[in-house]
Amino acid sequence: QVQLVESGGGLVQPGGSLRLSCTASGSIFSIKPMGWYRQAPGKARELVAGITSHGTTNYADSVKGRFTISRDNGKNTVYLQMNSLKPEDTAVYYCNIDYSGLGPMYGIWGPGTQVTVSS
């Protein structure tokens, strides 16, 4: 079994930056696709950024040019560097690992970390 733990969330002013980290632990025997998702109050969970086992990345249009996803396979850790933050980025951010290879909706989720962008 695999567990994920996110860190790095907090309160930041508009235009500021945060760096989120997600570390996976447990029986991981190969590199898995991972991603960051977010869910704001009253809204559905949405993809923010994903990274494949090969290192290919993809982003939601709303964060392109502002957010960067990366991974350190030796540490089983994925990062999300968030710059030029906007109030609409406020949400709980969740890390996901597609452990089974069946897709992120069948994957394992972390407990989430709150990001609040407010003046």
Side-chain angles (χ1 to χ4, degrees):
Q1 189 60 269
V2 176
Q3 293 183 327
L4 304 178
V5 178
E6 302 102 335
S7 63
L11 175 64
V12 65
Q13 292 187 325
S17 298
L18 285 174
R19 180 176 170 87
L20 305 183
S21 298
C22 170
T23 298
S25 62
S27 301
I28 303 174
F29 301 106
S30 62
I31 301 172
K32 307 292 185 180
M34 298 182 71
W36 287 98
Y37 294 72
R38 67 187 181 188
Q39 188 166 20
K43 303 183 73 173
R45 190 171 300 187
E46 63 176 352
L47 172 70
V48 177
I51 185 165
T52 71
S53 59
H54 308 291
T56 301
T57 59
N58 64 289
Y59 300 90
D61 289 339
S62 59
V63 307
K64 285 182 179 177
R66 300 189 298 121
F67 292 9
T68 302
I69 188 171
S70 61
R71 65 190 302 164
D72 184 335
N73 294 326
K75 297 180 179 180
N76 288 322
T77 298
V78 63
Y79 305 95
L80 185 67
Q81 179 66 46
M82 304 185 294
N83 299 324
S84 301
L85 283 161
K86 304 175 180 179
E88 50 262 47
D89 295 319
T90 296
V92 177
Y93 283 69
Y94 298 92
C95 181
N96 175 278
I97 181 169
D98 184 10
Y99 183 73
S100 68
L102 299 176
M105 295 302 104
Y106 298 90
I108 298 171
W109 299 91
T113 184
Q114 177 71 47
V115 172
T116 302
V117 185
S118 176
S119 60

